[in-house]
Amino acid sequence: MATQPDDEYAEALQRAHTHATEWLHSVPNRRIGPSRTADELLEGFAVPLQDQPIDAASVVDELARLAEPGLMAMPSGRFFGWVIGGTLPASLGADWLVSAWDQNAAMRYATPATAAAEQAAGMWLLDLLGLPAGCDVGFTTGATGSNLVGLAAARQYVLEQAGWDLPAHGLAGSPGVTVFVGQDRHASVDLSLRYLGLAKPVEVATDAQGRLLPAALAAAMDASSGPAIVCLQAGNLHSGASDPLAEATAIAHAHGAWVHVDGAFGLWAAASPTHRYLVAGVETCDSWATDAHKTLNVPYDCGVAIVSRPDVVRSVFGVHTSYLKTEEHGPGDPFDKVPEFSRRARGVPVWAALRSLGRSGVVALVDRLVAHAQSFGTRLSRIPGVEVINDVVFTQVCVSFGSDERTRRITARLLSDGTTWMSGSRWADREVLRISVSNWMTDDDAVAQSVAAIERAIAAEDAR
Ligand SMILES: *Cc1c(COP(=O)(O)O)cnc(C)c1O
C-alpha cells in the first residue's frame, strides 16, 4: 500500500545523497569553470519527451550525469566571481529538510514549525545586525526582491504622508515620488523602481569609492519637493564601501523622506565589532535589504527584507481573503511581508546557519572574508604592473593591469586557467578584475593559489 512511494522516495533520495556527496568532494579540486556550454548541454537535456514514466532514482541519476560537466564550482573557496556565497553544512542540511517537508510557508497556523523557525531567525538577524527589535523580517528570493519590498513600503508610506491613498487610487494622479540614489548603486535598485512604476531616480554624486556625497544629497533634496525616498547602499559592488548612512539618513529624514538601504552583502559589516564603523547609523534607516545567500553562506535562494514599520509593509503585501485565516496582530504571517503568496521555507536554512555559527561564528565569518580580501589587496599590489584601485575596506577588491586591453586579456587568461574565478568588470571608467571574497571555505591557501594563478596569467600575457 503506502510502501511503494516510500521506497521511491528512499531510492531517489539515496541517489541524490550519493551524487551530492560526489559533487561536494569534487569541488575543492575541480577546475572552477564549467567545461560545457548551455547549448552543448541542452542536447542531453532536451531529448524528445517520452511517453512513459521513468522511475525517480533513474531520473536523479540521469540529471546528475547530464549536469556534471556544466556545473560551475561556485561553492569553491577559490570562487570569487560576482558576489556569491557558498553553503554552510548546517544550512545545506536544513535546505534538504525544507524540500522534504514541503511546507508552503505562508501562514503561521498552517505551517507553525517553519513560521516559528523563520521568526526566530528574523529576531537573531535583527540582533546580530544591530537593527531595531520591532522590525518586520521577510524572506525573499534575494536582495532584488528585498529591495522591492523596502521600496514598495517606502512608496506607500511617503504617499500616505502626502495624503494619497495608494491602495485605493493607484499611482495615476498621485503627487508622485522622487527617489534619490547614489550614482554607483546596484542595477537591482533601478529594477525595483521599474516594477513599482516609479520614475528614473535622481542620481546623487559619489566619491572615488562610490560613496554618496551628503552635500550633494542635501542640495538635490533642497531643489526638490513632494514625497521622497532616499535609497542608500551598504557595500558597493566594486569597492565594498558603504554610503555615509548616518549623515545621509539625517538629511533624508529632515526632508521627510523614507530611507531604504541596499545592503545585499555590505549590511553584514554591522555584525562585526571591527567593521561596524562602515555602516555606522544603519539603525536609523527605515528599511533594509540583504542577502543570506551571499555573506551568510546559505544556499540559493535567500534574501532578507527588513522594514521598521510592520503596519506599512503588511498593508502593502498582506492578503485577506475568505479562505485564508490570517493573523491581524502580533508577529504577522510570513506572506504579509514578501511579494510571494506561496513559497518554500527559505528562512529555515538561515536559522540553521546562525545556530551552527553562533554569535562568535558570524563575527569570525565576516572578519575572515574581509581579512582574505585585504590579503588579496596586499599581495596583488606588490606585483609590478598591478594596481589595486579601491580601498579594500570590506570583501571587494578591484584590480587593473594597466590598459583596458591588457586587463581584459589577463582576465581571459586567468579564467581559462581554471584555478580561480573572478569577474571582469568596469568601474571608475576602467576595465577591472573584481574579486569578491564571500565564501566561508576560502582560506589562506585558496588566496595563495589564486594569486599564483594571476601571476601565471600576467607572465603568459607578457611572454606573448
Ligand atoms: C547581489 C546584489 C544585489 C542583488 O541581489 P540578488 O540576491 O542577486 O537579488 C543588490 N545589491 C547589491 C549591492 C548586490 O551586491
Side-chain angles (χ1 to χ4, degrees), residues 83 184 186 233 235-240 265 294 396 398 434:
V83 184
D184 209 3
H186 190 270
Q233 179 169 255
N236 179 291
L237 213 51
H238 290 96
S239 70
F265 65 94
K294 291 179 177 172
Q396 311 296 102
C398 264
R434 191 181 67 210

Side-chain angles (χ1 to χ4, degrees), residues 83 141-145 147 186 188 233-235 237 262-265 291 293-294:
V83 184
T141 54
T144 304
N147 280 332
H186 190 270
S188 66
Q233 179 169 255
L237 213 51
D262 174 6
F265 65 94
D291 270 318
H293 58 217
K294 291 179 177 172

